[in-house]
Amino acid sequence: MSNHLSGEDMPYVNRDISWMYFNSRILREAMRDDVPLLERLSFLGIYSNNLDEFFRVRMATVARMAEMSGKSLRRDREEARALYRRLSDMDSRLSHLYEQAVADVTSLLEKNGIRLLSHEDLDDEQRHYVRCLFRKKISGFVSPVWLDKAGELDTESDSHIYLAVVLSAPDRQHEYAVIKLPANRMGRFITLPAKDGAVTVMYLEDVIRFALPMIFPGMGFTDFQAYSFKFTKDAEMEIDNDSHYSPVEKIAKAVRSRKRGATLRVLYDKDMPPTLVRAIMKRLRLDSLDSVYPSGHYQNHKDFMSFPTDCRPDLKYEEWPAVIHPELKENGSLMQLVEEKDRYIHVPYHSFDYLVRLLQEAAVRRDVKSVKITLYRLARDSKIVEALKCAARNGKKVTAVVELQARFDESSNIHYAREMQEAGINVVFGVEGLKIHSKIIYIGRHKAHDIAVVGTGNFHEGNARVYTDYFLMTARRAIVREVAQVFDVIKRPYDIPQFSTLIVPPFNMRKRFTDLIDHEIAEARRNRPAWIKIKINHISDREMVAKLYEASEAGVKIDLLVRGNCSVVPGVEGYSSNIRVHGIIDRYLEHSRIFVFNAGGKARTFMGSADWLPRNLDRRIEVITEVTDPDLKKDLLNTIETGMADNTHAHLPGDNDALPPSSLPPLRSQEALYNHYKNLKQ
């Protein structure tokens, strides 16, 4: 490798800066006139939710680095502080754009017959309705605390919105109280009876503003004002390594420790009186690095993702019902079909229910002796868990590897782990120091072919309706045997495994992908066709970025379809002149990971769970399988090439991300793929 390619001077976008570029593209999607109005509202919610998580995780990490002490760490500390300031500046610039986008979209709602009412807009009939609603359904969940009794607010949960209330009366000193908004119980939006043909909706905080005299009765106050604020905290968990605690107890205790995380970002109503602002900030115990923004009247717009939309389907995307898979539409045995040849589904174009059906069949078939599965995230009321419990009740030996440290899903996974244990399922909590991020199933059978599933996404029915993912169902012995071996590694992590068909970090992923790229480099240097096509969520690992630059410099043609973080800078002479990078933001979240190498014209194809981040390459157990079935190989390649041809919902990496004008007919890749599968049904 050329020295300049492996050095610090190579073109490289910091992972967190790249993520901010990505989230800004989500915001721009919310500003597109050709996106249905309620979908624009949802994109505003996605942007807000993403930003919350980014501050809780990534900005928290940068902040901890910026606070490191010790002379030997001075350079790292200064770099972290510079990065924190840059990210905060980007957030500040985008927040103004975001507030304008929210104002524009809510104004368009009004023009389209959806009225967002404040507590001051209500007529007598609506006031009576809201008063009765508050007394019957909401009042029991509202628990005001006097601010002088509230103590340190940073011990409270940052998953809520808060109202800072000013109570006053003539010839009397103001008093302050804090109310936690019970949106987790009531929802953020309250639908009122339609008025003059318009849908009428209120923010929950406006309902509470209206009801303040009912919340503080008989105290002599004559004026009530309430100002919203929200804070975001470091989501790092403190895991107690005391051997007296079980893994579940350790993680449950660690989840509770998040309440003590340092505050990193505060948003508050810009109309809040300065004395009240100072009192709130004092109780949040801020430091010099924290980001504090005066904002709009309402905070935490992630709830736009659950805005009541059923009343106006005309303002949403046209429904795309899941396509019936032409090979799987029979009501017969899925296992028999898989024994005949590899089968696959591409959700949400195909229904996730095919996988549920496979597990349900395994649960009742007498020739099935065992079922093993890795579970990273699970849907509420999971059908997958129900199928596993059914298998256990039918005498199968069921093993579920549950990742207790799936960020923000820890409590849900603890709940399901206990539920499965009570049903007789052997629940395994993974390998210390290595997250289990693989998406695999193993079905062992008596005197019949064992079956395996390898996926690019979680076994999660909810995600499968909006995330694009592939799931391979196979009876190929090479794959099935090594999937079984992965479960052995999880059980006995100190055995060094040998994988030839599967790519499983941390054992062989970095080397296998490096070897595959090196083969393309060697082919290009012999003046033979050489190319690489990759669809992935994130690329930020420096070694892999440098290796792609080396391949590009050697003449390998590289297409990258990257949804999120992308540290690769395409089109730089001497580094990446042979690299194209596109990303797709549309109605579905692009999530599948696909890797295709020309391999001397033999087109070696891989799919699985891993991105090219250091954590995926070195600190997780992932599974990527080579694909040999010609139908699936063709489909995976078509997905990448269709994405690279998208000229309506594609973007370039970086800040200036607009595609150049195209003379080709408009092509929307997700729509093209949906129509492709729909036509295959015929």
Side-chain angles (χ1 to χ4, degrees):
M1 185 187 298
S2 302
N3 288 334
H4 73 288
L5 285 179
S6 58
E8 292 293 321
D9 60 335
M10 73 176 184
Y12 180 88
V13 179
N14 172 274
R15 166 186 173 176
D16 298 315
I17 298 295
S18 176
W19 185 91
M20 291 293 278
Y21 292 153
F22 161 70
N23 208 35
S24 71
R25 291 191 284 273
I26 298 287
L27 178 54
R28 284 197 283 278
E29 199 72 11
M31 300 167 70
R32 290 178 57 149
D33 291 336
D34 60 340
V35 173
L37 184 56
L38 291 177
E39 304 295 349
R40 292 173 64 179
L41 199 67
S42 181
F43 277 119
L44 289 172
I46 293 168
Y47 173 89
S48 180
N49 186 63
N50 286 351
L51 200 58
D52 264 3
E53 184 168 332
F54 179 74
F55 266 84
R56 296 179 77 187
V57 180
R58 294 301 308 167
M59 287 290 273
T61 300
V62 176
R64 286 195 298 274
M65 293 172 62
E67 292 168 353
M68 292 186 300
S69 60
K71 292 183 179 180
S72 62
L73 299 174
R74 180 176 297 173
R75 179 183 174 187
D76 290 340
R77 183 173 66 248
E78 291 307 313
E79 287 180 354
R81 288 186 174 180
L83 175 60
Y84 196 98
R85 286 193 293 269
R86 184 177 176 189
L87 292 169
S88 294
D89 288 344
M90 293 176 74
D91 177 40
S92 180
R93 291 197 305 272
L94 287 171
S95 68
H96 295 297
L97 190 63
Y98 183 78
E99 290 299 328
Q100 185 58 52
V102 170
D104 291 345
V105 170
T106 51
S107 174
L108 287 170
L109 288 174
E110 176 84 21
K111 292 177 181 178
N112 283 272
I114 300 176
R115 297 192 62 199
L116 275 170
L117 301 179
S118 80
H119 61 295
E120 297 172 338
D121 298 329
L122 303 176
D123 61 25
D124 289 343
E125 184 180 348
Q126 290 167 332
R127 290 168 66 86
H128 175 73
Y129 179 87
V130 173
R131 189 178 294 111
C132 293
L133 176 73
F134 178 80
R135 284 175 173 156
K136 290 178 180 179
K137 295 187 176 180
I138 301 175
S139 63
F141 300 121
V142 176
S143 303
V145 178
W146 295 111
L147 186 58
D148 60 356
K149 302 293 184 183
E152 305 297 346
L153 290 175
D154 64 347
T155 61
E156 297 292 326
S157 169
D158 64 348
S159 62
H160 295 274
I161 306 161
Y162 294 83
L163 289 178
V165 183
V166 183
L167 304 102
S168 57
D171 303 321
R172 182 173 175 180
Q173 188 175 358
H174 295 325
E175 294 198 48
Y176 300 139
V178 175
I179 296 175
K180 183 189 300 182
L181 205 67
N184 58 327
R185 294 180 180 274
M186 299 305 304
R188 182 74 182 282
F189 299 99
I190 305 297
T191 302
L192 277 59
K195 189 81 171 179
D196 300 326
V199 177
T200 54
V201 179
M202 285 185 74
Y203 281 94
L204 178 61
E205 49 262 59
D206 278 333
V207 173
I208 292 178
R209 286 185 175 102
F210 170 81
L212 285 173
M214 302 159 64
I215 298 172
F216 298 95
M219 299 183 188
F221 297 113
T222 58
D223 186 66
F224 304 85
Q225 300 295 326
Y227 306 90
S228 64
F229 69 95
K230 173 179 169 47
F231 51 91
T232 307
K233 300 198 297 187
D234 185 345
E236 184 72 11
M237 297 192 307
E238 301 172 10
I239 300 178
D240 192 333
N241 290 318
D242 190 329
S243 60
H244 292 95
Y245 293 111
S246 71
V248 170
E249 290 170 327
K250 289 179 183 178
I251 299 302
K253 187 178 179 183
V255 170
R256 291 192 294 272
S257 78
R258 278 201 179 122
K259 290 185 68 174
R260 299 192 298 273
T263 303
L264 297 164
R265 181 174 186 259
V266 184
L267 298 174
Y268 67 93
D269 187 334
K270 60 182 178 297
D271 294 327
M272 186 183 294
T275 53
L276 181 54
V277 172
R278 288 192 292 272
I280 295 293
M281 299 307 155
K282 180 180 178 180
R283 284 165 173 78
L284 288 172
R285 295 193 295 182
L286 307 179
D287 65 29
S288 60
L289 282 175
D290 294 329
S291 302
V292 179
Y293 302 127
S295 185
H297 197 49
Y298 305 99
Q299 317 303 333
N300 209 32
H301 286 122
K302 69 179 182 181
D303 295 310
F304 279 152
M305 291 189 292
S306 57
F307 189 83
T309 61
D310 292 344
C311 53
R312 292 297 302 273
D314 57 309
L315 298 180
K316 298 175 66 177
Y317 284 131
E318 176 191 358
E319 187 178 357
W320 289 353
V323 173
I324 297 173
H325 198 298
E327 295 180 357
L328 306 178
K329 61 184 178 182
E330 302 295 334
N331 291 325
S333 167
L334 262 182
M335 286 190 180
Q336 185 175 335
L337 290 173
V338 173
E339 282 187 281
E340 293 170 1
K341 70 182 294 289
D342 289 353
R343 311 289 178 172
Y344 69 91
I345 56 173
H346 188 186
V347 299
Y349 306 106
H350 300 131
S351 172
F352 183 80
D353 283 346
Y354 290 114
L355 273 184
V356 176
R357 203 173 110 197
L358 181 71
L359 284 174
Q360 288 172 335
E361 182 179 345
V364 298
R365 283 186 66 121
R366 295 188 181 276
D367 62 352
V368 170
K369 59 182 179 180
S370 64
V371 178
K372 300 179 182 180
I373 189 170
T374 56
L375 299 173
Y376 193 76
R377 300 190 196 279
L378 284 161
R380 183 180 297 180
D381 301 321
S382 171
K383 295 177 183 177
I384 293 290
V385 170
E386 287 303 310
L388 297 174
K389 287 159 62 177
C390 179
R393 286 194 294 268
N394 280 315
K396 322 298 181 188
K397 185 177 181 181
V398 181
T399 300
V401 180
V402 177
E403 179 48 71
L404 291 180
Q405 295 187 63
R407 197 182 304 272
F408 305 129
D409 275 75
E410 300 94 347
S411 297
S412 173
N413 286 1
I414 288 171
H415 164 77
Y416 273 122
R418 288 170 170 159
E419 183 178 313
M420 288 188 287
Q421 285 175 326
E422 290 173 1
I425 294 172
N426 176 34
V427 177
V428 177
F429 297 117
V431 181
E432 187 173 352
L434 293 174
K435 273 191 178 181
I436 312 298
H437 192 249
S438 56
K439 326 295 183 185
I440 54 174
I441 299 172
Y442 170 81
I443 300 173
R445 303 167 71 193
H446 293 287
K447 298 179 181 178
H449 290 291
D450 296 342
I451 288 173
V453 175
V454 178
T456 67
N458 297 306
F459 300 116
H460 187 301
E461 298 96 309
N463 286 357
R465 287 191 287 272
V466 291
Y467 287 32
T468 67
D469 275 305
Y470 276 92
F471 294 92
L472 165 67
M473 297 172 279
T474 183
R476 291 181 187 270
R477 290 185 178 179
I479 297 176
V480 174
R481 181 174 61 249
E482 293 192 5
V483 165
Q485 192 176 350
V486 173
F487 285 101
D488 291 340
V489 168
I490 294 169
K491 184 178 179 181
R492 297 187 297 274
Y494 303 107
D495 291 349
I496 305 300
Q498 297 294 321
F499 296 105
S500 57
T501 301
L502 299 186
I503 297 176
V504 184
F507 307 106
N508 66 350
M509 181 170 163
R510 192 179 289 277
K511 183 178 186 308
R512 287 286 298 278
F513 277 126
T514 298
D515 289 347
L516 287 161
I517 298 171
D518 281 339
H519 185 271
E520 298 301 320
I521 292 172
E523 290 288 284
R525 288 174 177 163
R526 296 188 186 103
N527 294 317
R528 296 174 180 170
W531 52 259
I532 299 169
K533 298 178 188 289
I534 294 174
K535 181 180 183 298
I536 202 167
N537 293 333
H538 310 293
I539 298 178
S540 73
D541 184 83
R542 279 189 172 272
E543 287 184 25
M544 300 310 296
V545 171
K547 180 57 68 172
L548 290 173
Y549 286 164
E550 182 184 358
S552 172
E553 193 177 41
V556 180
K557 303 294 183 183
I558 302 172
D559 283 347
L560 303 176
L561 198 57
V562 186
R563 185 196 84 221
N565 305 338
C566 182
S567 296
V568 175
V569 183
V572 179
E573 191 65 33
Y575 290 93
S576 56
S577 55
N578 285 305
I579 297 179
R580 294 193 306 157
V581 183
H582 279 193
I584 306 296
I585 295 178
D586 201 348
R587 67 188 294 161
Y588 298 144
L589 185 142
E590 297 287 334
H591 194 250
S592 54
R593 291 92 163 185
I594 306 165
F595 311 84
V596 188
F597 303 85
N598 183 49
K602 297 177 182 177
R604 297 190 69 182
T605 304
F606 302 81
M607 56 163 275
S609 61
D611 295 311
W612 281 2
L613 301 175
R615 69 186 187 194
N616 303 98
L617 290 154
D618 302 322
R619 301 189 299 277
R620 290 187 172 189
I621 292 182
E622 310 268 8
V623 170
I624 292 176
T625 183
E626 182 161 9
V627 175
T628 56
D629 179 79
D631 294 334
L632 179 52
K633 288 179 66 172
K634 180 180 178 182
D635 197 84
L636 292 167
L637 183 60
N638 179 62
T639 291
I640 296 178
E641 292 181 339
T642 303
M644 294 301 296
D646 193 314
N647 55 19
T648 66
H649 284 70
H651 56 78
L652 302 175
D655 196 16
N656 184 17
D657 62 355
L659 286 177
S662 173
S663 60
L664 298 172
L667 189 147
R668 181 185 178 191
S669 57
Q670 292 187 356
E671 183 178 39
L673 288 171
Y674 180 75
N675 289 331
H676 164 71
Y677 291 120
K678 193 163 63 171
N679 292 333
L680 286 179
K681 187 180 73 170
Q682 307 304 323

